[in-house]
């Protein structure tokens, strides 16, 4: 997987959350995303963009998740950026939407960078958002 941050985060700067792969639990991930982005002093519109991007990434993964799967989310906090990696076990033959799809256009419009991998029965979407300068 591509490392999107370009910086390593210390163990103290990483938050792991695991929730059932069910849309009813996405609010937990959206809230965690907003809280961590606020801690980095992101602007309100940047926080909302990131919440929407995390929601979209999770929706893409839920569509290909195995029954009774868990959605694992890793938040890496650096001085000026938040990287969110969401992963889920997938059904056999599952494919993520193409990078030309509307869903990917949303992710790339709302974040600094987005990447995805699918291998060994798991799919992962990584989102990087850097805080705008001047905050």
């Amino acid at each position: 997987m591509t490392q999107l941050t370009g910086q390593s985060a210390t163990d103290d700067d990483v938050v792991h959350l695991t929730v059932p792969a069910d849309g009813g639990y996405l609010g937990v991930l959206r809230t965690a995303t907003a809280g961590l982005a606020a801690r980095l002093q992101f602007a309100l519109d940047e926080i909302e963009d990131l919440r929407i991007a995390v929601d979209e990434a999770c929706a893409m993964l839920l569509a290909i998740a195995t029954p009774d799967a868990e959605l694992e989310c890793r938040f890496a906090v650096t001085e000026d950026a938040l990287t969110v990696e969401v992963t889920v076990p997938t059904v056999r033959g599952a494919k993520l939407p193409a990078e030309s799809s509307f869903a990917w256009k949303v992710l790339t419009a709302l974040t600094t960078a987005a990447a995805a991998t699918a291998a060994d029965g798991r799919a992962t979407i990584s989102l990087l958002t850097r805080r705008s300068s001047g905050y």
Side-chain angles (χ1 to χ4, degrees):
M1 175 184 298
T2 305
Q3 175 71 5
L4 292 178
T5 62
Q7 305 176 296
S8 61
T10 65
D11 289 340
D12 293 339
D13 297 323
V14 176
V15 175
H16 293 270
L17 286 176
T18 302
V19 297
D22 179 293
Y25 291 92
L26 295 185
V28 173
L29 298 180
R30 287 190 301 267
T31 301
T33 300
L36 291 169
R39 180 175 173 228
L40 288 170
Q41 299 179 343
F42 277 36
L44 290 177
D45 59 334
E46 293 172 317
I47 292 171
E48 189 58 26
D49 286 352
L50 188 54
R51 283 172 33 106
I52 293 167
V54 167
D55 197 54
E56 186 67 34
C58 289
M60 287 197 286
L61 292 175
L62 291 180
I64 59 174
T66 59
D68 300 321
E70 290 186 327
L71 193 63
E72 297 174 25
C73 192
R74 178 182 183 273
F75 299 90
V77 179
T78 60
E79 186 176 311
D80 68 342
L82 179 61
T83 301
V84 182
E85 294 178 358
V86 187
T87 186
V88 69
T90 60
V91 296
R92 183 181 299 266
K95 294 185 183 193
L96 289 163
E99 289 188 16
S100 60
S101 69
F102 178 75
W104 272 105
K105 300 266 188 239
V106 169
L107 290 184
T108 56
L110 296 175
T111 61
T112 304
T117 59
D120 301 323
R122 294 193 73 78
T124 302
I125 297 177
S126 300
L127 306 171
L128 167 67
T129 299
R130 291 195 185 284
R131 183 180 63 229
S132 295
S133 58
Y135 291 98

